[in-house]
Amino acid sequence: MKAVNPLTASLIMDKAAQSSYGAFKGMRRGAVDPWVFTLTSTEGNPRSTANTTPNARRVAIKQAFYRHAGSDIRRTQDVQKQIELLSVEIICSQWAAALLEMVYGYIRSVGNGRRLEKAPFQIPSFRFVQVALAITHAQENSETEQEAFLLEEYIDPDVDGHWRKYVNNDSAVPLSLALKDDRERGEFLAFCQHVQYWMTSGLVFVSDFQGGNSLLSDPQIITNPDLGPLFGQGNVVNTHHRFEAEHRCNKFCKYFDIP
């Protein structure tokens, strides 16, 4: 897990712009100055170069919302609830990044004995976007309320392809996708789940894989229910219970000898 490094930066966004919405978060595009993320790579790990140029300062700015019973009107959570909910999202992202790194580490260890470059298929290159919690400065004698935001590296469709979901958080079966390359990526991510499940003795794996060709965002961590309530409401108990029955080993699982 990465250490917390507090920084001061300016967040630029149009609050009047239309947000896009997920299950409980809304997203606007914006920018941050100076750039708050750094890209580090473990030697040998395939990494995306999308959105890493010096001029790529755009971020996805997210906030949690709620609805009153019987209403379709979305209302933004207060700052304390934002911090609580968005912190869980950040923890999920950090765990997902570590668990994905574990998969690539296993691939490298097998590749050293098998000459990975001669594999009969290409190994997709994925990483999770970096995330940060942004909290506005409280101004004395100001009527403006303090706010909290989740910042993520922006997944630019012109650079990393259109947004799509590969695997839901309620099933270990990859979604049916129209493009062959997307289906291949979905298979690889199902293989990643298998490696994670196997290497943690059935304790944990990543789900809700979504994003672009190489950058992923908004993961969910699925854990063995015996560990207790972890990682928010998206940690669906039945997804863990059904994993062994639902997962179908594919060419990646077979080539890398996953039990």
Side-chain angles (χ1 to χ4, degrees):
M1 305 296 282
K2 295 181 180 179
V4 175
N5 298 309
L7 299 170
T8 299
S10 296
L11 186 61
I12 303 106
M13 67 174 171
D14 180 3
K15 296 193 74 172
Q18 181 66 36
S19 295
S20 57
Y21 291 99
F24 80 99
K25 296 193 301 295
M27 188 275 282
R28 294 185 181 93
R29 288 176 292 181
V32 64
D33 183 32
W35 187 238
V36 296
F37 299 121
T38 58
L39 282 176
T40 58
S41 174
T42 301
E43 184 177 356
N45 185 10
R47 291 291 192 175
S48 164
T49 58
N51 204 27
T52 63
T53 62
N55 293 325
R57 296 293 183 260
R58 287 186 293 174
V59 289
I61 303 170
K62 299 182 178 182
Q63 283 189 301
F65 65 84
Y66 67 95
R67 291 188 179 98
H68 288 297
S71 172
D72 289 332
I73 299 175
R74 299 180 182 89
R75 301 190 183 279
T76 303
Q77 298 279 8
D78 64 49
V79 64
Q80 292 303 322
K81 192 65 175 179
Q82 291 286 352
I83 293 171
E84 175 188 336
L85 294 173
L86 299 180
S87 294
V88 173
E89 295 292 291
I90 290 172
I91 291 170
C92 281
S93 291
Q94 289 186 314
W95 273 88
L99 287 164
L100 184 60
E101 174 63 33
M102 183 178 73
V103 174
Y104 281 118
Y106 177 76
I107 290 173
R108 289 194 299 273
S109 69
V110 173
N112 288 337
R114 276 200 182 181
R115 298 187 60 81
L116 184 58
E117 65 273 14
K118 291 189 176 181
F121 43 73
Q122 185 175 356
I123 305 298
S125 173
F126 279 114
R127 72 172 177 86
F128 283 96
V129 295
Q130 294 180 93
V131 295
L133 180 66
I135 303 174
T136 58
H137 285 292
Q139 301 291 331
E140 292 185 9
N141 302 319
S142 172
E143 296 181 359
T144 302
E145 294 184 0
Q146 193 173 28
E147 294 185 275
F149 306 92
L150 175 66
L151 306 185
E152 296 180 351
E153 294 175 272
Y154 176 63
I155 300 178
D156 189 338
D158 293 332
V159 176
D160 205 43
H162 67 281
W163 183 280
R164 80 228 72 160
K165 181 168 282 197
Y166 296 102
V167 184
N168 269 326
N169 72 319
D170 60 356
S171 173
V173 179
L175 296 176
S176 178
L177 297 164
L179 299 179
K180 181 177 182 293
D181 286 348
D182 285 345
R183 293 195 297 272
E184 189 97 348
R185 295 183 185 103
E187 281 191 3
F188 176 77
L189 292 170
F191 154 77
C192 289
Q193 290 183 321
H194 189 172
V195 175
Q196 293 159 358
Y197 186 88
W198 166 56
M199 294 190 72
T200 64
S201 300
L203 290 180
V204 62
F205 59 92
V206 182
S207 70
D208 230 11
F209 286 111
Q210 57 194 310
N213 295 336
S214 58
L215 293 176
L216 300 171
S217 177
D218 291 318
Q220 178 59 53
I221 307 300
I222 301 295
T223 58
N224 188 314
D226 292 343
L227 297 176
L230 300 169
F231 301 109
Q233 294 182 354
N235 186 357
V236 181
V237 171
N238 285 338
T239 304
H240 185 276
H241 286 331
R242 295 195 303 260
F243 180 78
E244 292 189 26
E246 287 188 341
H247 175 77
R248 293 292 179 268
C249 284
N250 55 49
K251 62 186 179 184
F252 298 103
C253 303
K254 295 170 184 176
Y255 184 77
F256 290 109
D257 293 331
I258 311 303

